[in-house]
Amino acid sequence: MTTIRLRKARAEDLDTLVNLEFSVFPGDRISRRSWRDLLKSPSALVTVATVGDIVAGCTVVLLNKRTAIARLYSIAVAPEARKQGVARLLLDVVMLAAAETGACLLRLETRFDNLQAQRLFIHLGFKPFKRIPAYYEDGAEAIRYQRMISDDEIHARPESKSCHLN
């Protein structure tokens, strides 16, 4: 059985994150400069999943304590690490992190033709709510999903409060 460990990304992960992005996405990649900024940003949580010493995946979630909405900016799983539960584990951590900052809703976008990701998002309780034409640099459409943060996730945060979205 494969042991997947999660940790907060560090500055020394920069090259690995850039390489992972290039191995997973044909376009619309996070640039090296943007990765550097995300790793330093107090409103971005970059999490890596490792299997042994290898980075198998990562997520970037944008958190803002002034809003009840968190955004999953990116999720990437190395091709050789797929179908091992890496994405699921990363998304579980994203949902808890969002709850800890007071978010009640998690949003994300995915390509209309990324059916594998869409199946996972739906399985985890995300609902599609908007289509965005020509969202990606190659002109592909995006589907925007959202998921309410569950009561269990909300109560896991230090100062539990009810969530009301306008």
Side-chain angles (χ1 to χ4, degrees):
M1 177 167 220
T2 303
T3 301
I4 303 165
R5 299 195 190 282
L6 300 178
R7 65 172 170 78
K8 186 175 179 184
R10 303 180 292 247
E12 58 266 24
D13 292 320
L14 179 62
D15 288 338
T16 302
L17 293 170
V18 170
N19 291 335
L20 177 63
E21 188 87 359
F22 271 80
S23 74
V24 172
F25 302 115
D28 292 288
R29 298 179 189 108
I30 298 173
S31 70
R32 173 179 286 284
R33 181 179 180 171
S34 292
W35 273 118
R36 198 175 298 115
D37 292 343
L38 288 165
L39 289 168
K40 293 178 195 173
S41 174
S43 63
L45 174 62
V46 182
T47 303
V48 295
T50 60
V51 176
D53 294 334
I54 306 300
V55 172
C58 70
T59 55
V60 178
V61 63
L62 303 177
L63 305 163
N64 184 336
K65 292 182 181 186
R66 293 175 283 166
T67 181
I69 301 171
R71 179 172 177 228
L72 179 63
Y73 184 66
S74 181
I75 181 168
V77 176
E80 63 275 11
R82 292 194 179 142
K83 299 198 183 281
Q84 295 179 37
V86 174
R88 169 72 190 255
L89 198 54
L90 283 164
L91 286 168
D92 286 345
V93 166
V94 164
M95 289 183 274
L96 285 172
E100 287 173 358
T101 63
C104 297
L105 190 71
L106 179 62
R107 287 188 173 163
L108 61 89
E109 299 85 27
T110 190
R111 288 178 63 96
F112 80 99
D113 57 355
N114 190 344
L115 301 179
Q116 186 175 0
Q118 290 173 42
R119 281 191 293 274
L120 175 61
F121 298 142
I122 289 168
H123 176 75
L124 293 177
F126 287 87
K127 306 278 187 227
F129 72 96
K130 185 176 184 180
R131 296 178 82 91
I132 308 168
Y135 183 80
Y136 293 98
E137 68 184 21
D138 66 356
E141 181 178 81
I143 301 174
R144 183 168 281 168
Y145 285 82
Q146 63 185 17
R147 178 193 185 277
M148 294 296 296
I149 304 295
S150 74
D151 286 343
D152 290 340
E153 292 153 347
I154 291 167
H155 294 301
R157 67 179 180 228
E159 293 181 20
S160 182
K161 59 187 172 190
S162 61
C163 291
H164 302 284
L165 298 174
N166 295 329

